[in-house]
Amino acid sequence: MRSDVKHFQCEIKDRIATVRLDRPDRKNPLTFDSYAELRDWFRDLVYADDVDVVIFGSNGGNFSSGGDVHDIIGPLTQMNMKELLRFTRMTGDLVKAIVNCGKPVIAAVDGVCVGAGAIIAMASDLRLATAEAKTAFLFTRVGLAGCDMGACAILPRIIGQTRAAELLYTGRAISAEEGERWGFYNRLVAGETLEDEALKLAQKIQAGPNFAHMMTKTMLAQEWAMSIEQAIEAEAQAQAICMQTGDFERAYNAFVAKERPVFEGD
């Protein structure tokens, strides 16, 4: 998997990729270039054999301030409809790439996490935050609808319809404590341990059956559009496929030998 990216930071070590936006002096806003490169990187992740888990981290005490006011918002006011739709589809493609990358994604959120930054956290599978995290889907505060990058579909699934409606209508920020209480954040950690805690969680997941993790992520994304009957059948097929993996046999042999299984992801 490529780590020689230009518009964000990327480090790959021990099959865990850590990415973070790279403009801490401006609270890590997204630009046209970083949107596109992140989209392409997550798309390529589907085919990467050297990465099992991704951490989307903070930088300089903040996660992301969303779309850059000068580099994105200003130019958007001068675009025609065709150009605007090209942009909004690109931003949505980033979310689709994160959801469909086949690898668990952990958002490690510190400080500002707003706009498109909040969307990236939302699109991740798991979210850790510090007490300083401030999260807002503030699209209405810049004159836009709250229905951006899949927010009206994904956010209600995480925190519920009425809470999502409040955030998307008002654009207000929620504190880290409120975010944890509502289920947006899995848990809160101390600021100085955020990266360590995210890495521990990533290592725990990475030590598991990674082919099966890919199947879990796929089913989590797809089953919202299925009936219960379809979902049960889809899971039957997915689990039957997993039962043909080496990791399933390794787990059985380890159980018989009263040992801890060592998974290899095949």
Side-chain angles (χ1 to χ4, degrees):
M1 188 65 193
R2 290 178 55 242
S3 60
D4 57 335
V5 294
K6 296 180 179 179
H7 302 289
F8 60 95
Q9 294 180 6
C10 178
E11 178 186 8
I12 299 173
K13 183 178 180 181
D14 298 329
R15 307 185 66 81
I16 297 171
T18 301
V19 300
R20 64 186 90 236
L21 294 169
D22 194 20
R23 302 177 73 190
D25 56 316
R26 296 175 65 180
K27 300 181 181 179
N28 306 310
L30 286 141
T31 65
F32 292 117
D33 289 331
S34 59
Y35 264 124
E37 191 171 34
L38 280 166
R39 174 203 60 194
D40 294 343
W41 189 86
F42 274 101
R43 281 177 172 173
D44 292 343
L45 195 59
V46 175
Y47 308 103
D49 293 328
D50 60 336
V51 174
D52 295 324
V53 185
V54 177
I55 298 171
F56 204 118
S58 299
N59 189 2
N62 293 292
F63 189 73
S64 174
S65 56
D68 189 280
V69 173
H70 301 293
D71 292 350
I72 289 185
I73 307 300
L76 289 178
T77 65
Q78 305 301 314
M79 291 184 184
N80 61 35
M81 180 56 70
K82 183 177 181 180
E83 293 168 330
L84 291 170
L85 187 56
R86 183 184 299 119
F87 169 73
T88 55
R89 283 174 171 165
M90 178 183 72
T91 63
D93 283 344
L94 171 57
V95 172
K96 288 189 282 186
I98 294 172
V99 170
N100 295 315
C101 71
K103 323 286 176 159
V105 179
I106 302 167
V109 178
D110 192 15
V112 170
C113 176
V114 301
I119 294 288
I120 290 173
M122 177 195 77
S124 301
D125 298 280
L126 300 164
R127 289 164 291 278
L128 304 181
T130 70
E132 289 70 37
K134 296 283 191 299
T135 308
F137 298 82
L138 42 64
F139 307 108
T140 57
R141 292 170 62 181
V142 296
L144 297 176
C147 54
D148 197 58
M149 300 171 70
C152 285
I154 300 173
L155 189 61
R157 300 176 186 179
I158 299 172
I159 64 174
Q161 183 80 5
T162 56
R163 286 171 171 169
E166 179 187 346
L167 297 185
L168 297 177
Y169 280 127
T170 67
R172 77 168 180 87
I174 57 172
S175 67
E177 184 277 331
E178 192 173 18
E180 182 189 35
R181 180 160 46 87
W182 282 11
F184 186 77
Y185 288 115
N186 292 82
R187 57 189 169 92
L188 303 184
V189 299
E192 62 271 18
T193 66
L194 175 62
E195 292 191 5
D196 288 341
E197 291 296 327
L199 182 59
K200 287 178 185 177
L201 180 57
Q203 290 170 334
K204 183 175 183 179
I205 294 171
Q206 194 279 325
N210 289 297
F211 179 89
H213 288 338
M214 177 275 293
M215 198 68 78
T216 299
K217 177 156 183 161
T218 300
M219 291 296 99
L220 282 169
Q222 292 182 355
E223 288 186 31
W224 280 92
M226 298 180 185
S227 67
I228 295 297
E229 290 78 9
Q230 290 170 327
I232 291 172
E233 174 58 23
E235 291 192 4
Q237 295 180 24
Q239 204 71 304
I241 292 170
C242 289
M243 288 173 182
Q244 292 185 313
T245 63
D247 277 346
F248 181 61
E249 185 174 352
R250 291 183 191 100
Y252 169 73
N253 291 334
F255 178 81
V256 171
K258 297 183 179 180
E259 298 173 349
R260 186 181 184 90
V262 177
F263 296 115
E264 297 180 20
D266 63 349

